[in-house]
């Protein structure tokens, strides 16, 4: 069966799956409905999470992943209103992708004297 999960940094080396932490256990939510998963993702963003991607994945693949990392899983039926917990972890096991660095502007090749001269000529035109 195809289910929908929330991923952060989808299809990168730094990919992470959204889990809910209950005590010392992590639980992956598998949504039957893409709309429900999207709604849950929007609620996470409202809690200052990075924007998650809603990804369709076979439920057996998620169950195998959960078994391999000792996570629990829960199937969220279509139409059920899942709400993120109010408390969030402060340190995730993945890191948001860094913002691309802007290239520094090259140093101006025009001297201050040349700028003053250009300014005077422009003012003279007024």
């Amino acid at each position: 069966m195809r289910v929908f999960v929330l991923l952060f940094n989808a299809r990168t080396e730094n990919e992470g799956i959204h889990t809910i932490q209950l005590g010392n256990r992590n639980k992956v939510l598998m949504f039957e409905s893409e709309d429900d998963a999207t709604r849950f993702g929007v609620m996470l963003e409202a809690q200052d999470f990075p924007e998650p991607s809603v990804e369709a994945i076979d439920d057996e693949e998620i169950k195998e992943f959960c078994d391999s990392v000792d996570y629990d899983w829960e199937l969220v039926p279509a139409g059920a209103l899942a709400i993120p917990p109010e408390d969030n972890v402060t340190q995730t096991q993945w890191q948001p992708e860094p913002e691309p660095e802007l290239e520094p502007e090259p140093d101006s090749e025009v001297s201050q004297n040349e700028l003053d001269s250009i300014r005077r000529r422009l003012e003279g035109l007024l």
Side-chain angles (χ1 to χ4, degrees):
M1 176 172 84
R2 184 178 76 161
V3 295
F4 298 91
V5 295
L6 301 174
L7 298 179
F8 299 100
N9 303 325
R11 294 174 293 284
T12 69
E13 291 181 19
N14 189 26
E15 184 175 72
I17 190 165
H18 178 267
T19 63
I20 294 187
Q21 192 171 32
L22 300 168
N24 63 349
R25 301 287 301 163
N26 286 299
K27 177 171 49 174
V28 173
L29 297 180
M30 300 186 303
F31 293 87
E32 284 186 337
S33 164
E34 183 176 12
D35 288 342
D36 292 342
T38 300
R39 188 175 306 112
F40 191 88
V42 168
M43 287 189 275
L44 286 176
E45 283 184 81
Q47 293 181 349
D48 295 328
F49 271 83
E51 180 180 358
S53 298
V54 175
E55 299 289 327
I57 300 179
D58 184 72
D59 68 328
E60 290 302 318
E61 187 177 337
I62 294 297
K63 291 174 184 176
E64 287 174 19
F65 166 77
C66 289
D67 287 342
S68 72
V69 294
D70 195 29
Y71 284 0
D72 298 326
W73 56 269
E74 179 182 336
L75 182 63
V76 179
L81 182 60
I83 299 174
E86 290 185 24
D87 295 332
N88 298 320
V89 295
T90 56
Q91 181 64 38
T92 61
Q93 294 178 359
W94 60 273
Q95 298 303 316
E97 288 292 306
E99 295 292 326
E101 291 185 27
L102 299 175
E103 291 185 28
E105 292 185 23
D107 291 337
S108 176
E109 295 179 12
V110 180
S111 71
Q112 187 62 40
N113 287 340
E114 290 176 273
L115 287 174
D116 290 339
S117 173
I118 294 170
R119 186 178 302 116
R120 282 192 298 274
R121 283 185 277 165
L122 287 172
E123 288 173 349
L125 291 173
L126 296 175

